[in-house]
Amino acid sequence: MTHPVTLITGASSGIGAELARVFSAHGHRVALVARRADRLDALAAEITASGRMSPIVVPCDLGQADAADRIAEALTAESVEVKYLVNNAGYGLFGRAAELDHADQLAMIDLNIRALTDLTLRFAPNVIRLRGGILNVGSIGGFLPGPGMAVYYASKAYVLSFSEALRGELGPLGVRVTVICPGPVPSGFQARAGVKPGFDSAILNVSAKDVAADGYRALMANKRAVLPGLGIKVVPFLLRLFPRDFILWGVTGFQMRRRS
C-alpha cells in the first residue's frame, strides 16, 4: 500500500521552504528535494517538531540527468506516490547572454526547463490517478522579453506556456494545474543572479511566505495562474496597452541598469 505525498523541489530555502511549511500546515506529507541536505534536514526537523507529518528528505541535484530516477526510487522506498507536484527549483543569471558563461546558462535551462518537464512527465500518471495537482513556480518575467536576463525570462515563458497547456490536457481528468508568477521576492535568488534590487523591489516586493500561501490557495481553488501582490497584477494588463517594441525598449533600459 502506498500513501500520497507532495513533492516540492528547491525546498531548502526561500519560496520552496515556505511552500513546504504551508503544505505541511494543511495536512500534507511533503517530500523535500534540493542539493543542500543540511538545510533540508533542518526544515524537516522544524516541520516534525511542529506536530506535522514527518517529511521525506531527498538530497538531489536536479541538474543531473538521472535526478528524476533517483527521486522516484527514494519515494518508492518510502512507499509513497506523488499526489501533488510542486516544481519550484530554478535560478537566474544577470548579464548579456553573449557574455555570460555558456555552461552556466545551459545549466539554467536544465534546471528551469528540463528538470521541471522531466518530473512532471514522470509523476503525471500518479497525479492523474490520485486526482491531485501540479503547482509550477514561474515568474512575472515569463510575460516579458528579458534583455539582461534573456535565458531566465525565456525559461519562465516556457513554464507559463507549459503549465497552461497541461491545464488544458489534465483538467478534464480531474487534475489541478496552477502556475504562480511572482515578481521580486526577498531571497537568495537576487544574489545568485547578480541583480541589484531597485525600485521595482520596493514597489512589487512580496515575501516568500506570502507567495507560498497564494500559490497553495490558488492550486486548491484550481486557478490557472496567480500573480502575488497588488502591484504585479497590473503587468499583464499594461502589456496589452503598449506595442511589443515599446515593451522591449523599456525592459532593456531598466534591466541593464540593475547589475549589482
Side-chain angles (χ1 to χ4, degrees), residues 156-245:
K156 292 304 183 179
Y158 174 91
V159 173
L160 177 61
S161 177
F162 183 58
S163 300
E164 291 182 327
L166 280 178
R167 181 178 177 85
E169 293 179 356
L170 301 183
L173 302 178
V175 174
R176 289 167 265 189
V177 181
T178 298
V179 58
I180 185 166
C181 301
V185 176
S187 68
F189 175 87
Q190 291 176 329
R192 172 71 176 88
V195 173
K196 179 172 63 176
F199 74 87
D200 62 317
S201 295
I203 296 173
L204 304 177
N205 249 355
V206 179
S207 71
K209 184 176 181 179
D210 288 341
V211 170
D214 282 356
Y216 180 84
R217 284 194 296 267
L219 178 64
M220 294 304 146
N222 197 21
K223 292 185 177 180
R224 176 185 60 84
V226 59
L227 282 69
L230 294 176
I232 209 71
K233 287 180 173 59
V234 305
V235 173
F237 173 74
L238 292 175
L239 291 176
R240 294 194 290 268
L241 298 180
F242 297 100
R244 192 70 170 177
D245 283 347

Side-chain angles (χ1 to χ4, degrees), residues 26 42 94 127-128 141 153 183 193 210 213:
H26 285 87
F94 182 83
V127 175
I128 292 168
Y153 275 48
D210 288 341

Side-chain angles (χ1 to χ4, degrees), residues 19-235:
L19 283 164
R21 293 183 177 103
V22 73
F23 272 88
S24 295
H26 285 87
H28 297 249
R29 189 181 187 193
V30 295
L32 310 176
V33 176
R35 290 181 302 167
R36 294 173 289 190
D38 57 336
R39 293 197 178 191
L40 293 181
D41 288 338
L43 178 59
E46 173 197 319
I47 290 171
T48 303
S50 69
R52 314 300 181 187
M53 285 186 282
S54 178
I56 299 167
V57 172
V58 187
C60 183
D61 182 356
L62 289 173
Q64 300 298 312
D66 65 344
D69 292 334
R70 294 170 57 192
I71 293 169
E73 290 170 2
L75 298 183
T76 298
E78 294 285 343
S79 298
V80 297
E81 61 179 327
V82 176
K83 181 175 182 179
Y84 291 98
L85 172 62
V86 181
N87 287 305
N88 166 73
Y91 72 94
L93 293 171
F94 182 83
R96 299 178 186 273
E99 298 172 359
L100 289 170
D101 184 83
H102 187 172
D104 282 349
Q105 293 185 89
L106 294 181
M108 192 198 317
I109 293 172
D110 272 344
L111 182 59
N112 294 9
I113 295 178
R114 185 198 58 77
L116 177 146
T117 306
D118 191 5
L119 290 173
T120 299
L121 300 180
R122 171 63 61 89
F123 295 114
N126 306 75
V127 175
I128 292 168
R129 183 169 58 256
L130 297 176
R131 290 181 170 267
I134 299 170
L135 176 62
N136 289 330
V137 178
S139 167
I140 192 61
F143 293 89
L144 299 162
M149 296 186 76
V151 174
Y152 174 74
Y153 275 48
S155 73
K156 292 304 183 179
Y158 174 91
V159 173
L160 177 61
S161 177
F162 183 58
S163 300
E164 291 182 327
L166 280 178
R167 181 178 177 85
E169 293 179 356
L170 301 183
L173 302 178
V175 174
R176 289 167 265 189
V177 181
T178 298
V179 58
I180 185 166
C181 301
V185 176
S187 68
F189 175 87
Q190 291 176 329
R192 172 71 176 88
V195 173
K196 179 172 63 176
F199 74 87
D200 62 317
S201 295
I203 296 173
L204 304 177
N205 249 355
V206 179
S207 71
K209 184 176 181 179
D210 288 341
V211 170
D214 282 356
Y216 180 84
R217 284 194 296 267
L219 178 64
M220 294 304 146
N222 197 21
K223 292 185 177 180
R224 176 185 60 84
V226 59
L227 282 69
L230 294 176
I232 209 71
K233 287 180 173 59
V234 305
V235 173

